[in-house]
Amino acid sequence: MLHSGKRAAVLTVAGLLTAGTLAGCSGSINTDAVVATVGNEDITLGVANFYARMTQGQYETYYAGMMGMTGEDMWAQEVEEGKTYEQAVKESIMTELENLYIIAQHAADYEVSLTEDEQGAIREAATQFDERNSDETKEAVSGYRKDIEKYLELFTIQNKMESKMKEGVDEEVSDEEAAQKAMKYVYFSFSSTDDSGNTVDLTDEEKEALRDDAQTLADRVKDGEDMTEVAEEMGLTVNDLTFDEESTGPNEDLVAEVDGFTEEGETTGPIESDLGIYVGQLTSLLDRDATDQEKNNIVEERRQEQYDSLLEEWRDGVKIEVDEKAWDKIDFNETGVTIITPEAQDGSDLSGTDESEDTQEGSESEDGSSADGSAEE
């Protein structure tokens, strides 16, 4: 991941975080310097740098490759006028850090604290990182015990506070509020895939033939034939969909027309879009399973809204100051971070996506207690 001679590749592993070697050095920072204050509490540059580097590692290891970019290219791209991807992500990181400190400051209000097992798991995770990594690596990511322990304390408290902050919402949801209908539909695409896997647009003649097929399907189903049987006979695929009036996929016009039906079995005519044609049939005015799941979704939305509202209220009630000059010392372009799994350290393939969760899970003590380092993304 070296680029133009100045980009360092920090290799970190899952477990909580074990690092490999550092292929360069971006220069040391004063980890005790204050990068921000939340009320009367300081956020040190060491904690901020460690959190930022772990977040950076997730992006560079798992997202940059998916986007077909190097880390440098990814961070340099503009997400809006005058703002790079690096700046946007760093803004998010700082806000998340502030929130972690704010939540911890309210932990006593909910009688939340760290247990001895959790404290032990945090110390063990920090010790393992300290023992398994070079001084150069720890310098680059501020991977010192005090910074790692604070990082894990914050996330463990946030994890315990989340359920407390979400308690007490109204969990009653009526069928009417959560109602989900169901349909079957067939899609006639205006494109196909050639032998090389390339997408090819149909000719005007082929599109006209599709229109005829769509009309035939709609007519036969409206005359009482089973959509699935007719579709199979025509070599077509039938899709099942649960929806409500706010649904937009797979096609807004399709959903709107089927949602307007009052009797199960009613069928649309061909509904044409720029990319193809749909024929849909209402199969249920109230899909029980989907409706019950939507009730769960609504309750969870209420919980999240309460959590967000509390956090916003707390943010409004505390003074927050950020030393931008100190925060600018953390530069993603100068130092690159790659996450390496234990398997990859042993010579296995570094490719999986599950490892991204591992780096955020913290470590477990022998009795199973967890120092949860998961971030809210």
Side-chain angles (χ1 to χ4, degrees):
M1 296 193 53
L2 292 174
H3 188 264
S4 63
K6 62 179 182 179
R7 186 171 167 76
V10 180
L11 308 180
T12 61
V13 244
L16 166 72
L17 319 159
T18 324
T21 58
L22 185 68
C25 184
S26 61
S28 61
I29 61 174
N30 179 7
T31 59
D32 292 324
V34 176
V35 70
T37 56
V38 178
N40 296 322
E41 192 169 8
D42 294 335
I43 301 177
T44 67
L45 197 54
V47 173
N49 187 39
F50 187 75
Y51 181 29
R53 297 305 182 187
M54 294 314 303
T55 304
Q56 178 188 359
Q58 297 288 332
Y59 277 88
E60 293 199 8
T61 305
Y62 304 111
Y63 303 143
M66 292 168 55
M67 296 165 67
M69 296 182 176
T70 64
E72 302 98 306
D73 291 338
M74 178 178 70
W75 297 124
Q77 68 175 333
E78 277 199 342
V79 293
E80 59 183 76
E81 187 174 354
K83 180 182 291 187
T84 65
Y85 197 46
E86 177 189 15
Q87 291 170 328
V89 170
K90 282 187 63 181
E91 283 183 11
S92 175
I93 289 171
M94 181 52 69
T95 299
E96 290 165 2
L97 261 177
E98 294 163 359
N99 290 344
L100 288 170
Y101 277 81
I102 290 169
I103 289 170
Q105 290 169 2
H106 287 268
D109 301 341
Y110 292 81
E111 299 182 345
V112 168
S113 60
L114 299 178
T115 66
E116 290 185 7
D117 286 340
E118 288 164 343
Q119 292 172 348
I122 287 170
R123 288 192 297 270
E124 177 63 21
T127 298
Q128 287 180 6
F129 186 92
D130 182 61
E131 292 174 348
R132 296 176 185 175
N133 292 278
S134 67
D135 290 340
E136 291 85 359
T137 295
K138 288 183 284 188
E139 182 177 340
V141 302
S142 299
Y144 304 108
R145 293 188 188 188
K146 61 182 176 62
D147 299 319
I148 297 173
E149 287 180 6
K150 183 63 177 180
Y151 167 92
L152 288 176
E153 286 172 7
L154 290 167
F155 277 108
T156 305
I157 290 172
Q158 186 276 335
N159 186 59
K160 298 176 74 170
M161 281 284 285
E162 183 172 5
S163 59
K164 297 285 188 179
M165 292 166 65
K166 290 181 176 180
E167 287 179 352
V169 302
D170 182 7
E171 298 186 12
E172 291 296 321
V173 182
S174 67
D175 277 352
E176 182 179 4
E177 184 178 0
Q180 297 292 297
K181 300 177 182 179
M183 74 163 82
K184 292 183 182 294
Y185 73 90
V186 174
Y187 177 57
F188 301 80
S189 177
F190 284 157
S191 63
S192 62
T193 304
D194 64 19
D195 294 338
S196 299
N198 300 313
T199 300
V200 179
D201 290 335
L202 301 186
T203 64
D204 290 342
E205 292 78 9
E206 289 171 327
K207 290 180 181 180
E208 196 58 42
L210 274 191
R211 294 185 179 97
D212 291 340
D213 288 343
Q215 188 64 61
T216 297
L217 173 69
D219 290 342
R220 291 178 63 178
V221 175
K222 286 182 178 181
D223 286 341
E225 295 189 62
D226 182 85
M227 175 177 275
T228 300
E229 293 179 359
V230 175
E232 288 179 354
E233 177 187 322
M234 299 176 67
L236 304 170
T237 300
V238 175
N239 303 281
D240 293 300
L241 177 72
T242 55
F243 67 98
D244 58 31
E245 62 182 6
E246 296 181 357
S247 300
T248 57
N251 175 271
E252 289 188 45
D253 292 336
L254 170 68
V255 171
E257 184 165 341
V258 178
D259 186 52
F261 292 156
T262 57
E263 295 184 12
E264 294 175 1
E266 287 189 79
T267 303
T268 71
I271 299 173
E272 187 165 329
S273 69
D274 291 338
L275 301 177
I277 306 168
Y278 297 88
V279 175
Q281 181 182 49
L282 179 67
T283 56
S284 176
L285 285 165
L286 182 71
D287 185 284
R288 184 75 267 163
D289 290 341
T291 298
D292 289 343
Q293 180 57 53
E294 183 62 15
K295 288 184 179 184
N296 293 334
N297 295 340
I298 291 172
V299 172
E300 187 51 43
E301 286 173 5
R302 292 174 182 173
R303 291 178 179 140
Q304 189 61 48
E305 287 171 0
Q306 178 169 287
Y307 176 94
D308 294 340
S309 178
L310 267 174
L311 187 52
E312 183 178 356
E313 177 185 328
W314 293 346
R315 284 187 66 92
D316 289 341
V318 68
K319 184 178 181 180
I320 300 172
E321 293 183 335
V322 178
D323 185 338
E324 297 295 347
K325 193 172 287 188
W327 188 221
D328 285 344
K329 292 180 180 179
I330 300 174
D331 188 320
F332 292 172
N333 287 305
E334 292 292 331
T335 301
V337 181
T338 303
I339 293 175
I340 301 293
T341 67
E343 292 77 11
Q345 280 195 319
D346 294 335
S348 303
D349 178 49
L350 170 62
S351 60
T353 56
D354 292 338
E355 291 84 357
S356 63
E357 295 178 3
D358 293 339
T359 60
Q360 296 178 344
E361 285 296 313
S363 67
E364 288 193 351
S365 61
E366 291 182 0
D367 63 0
S369 61
S370 173
D372 192 336
S374 59
E376 268 187 43
E377 298 291 355

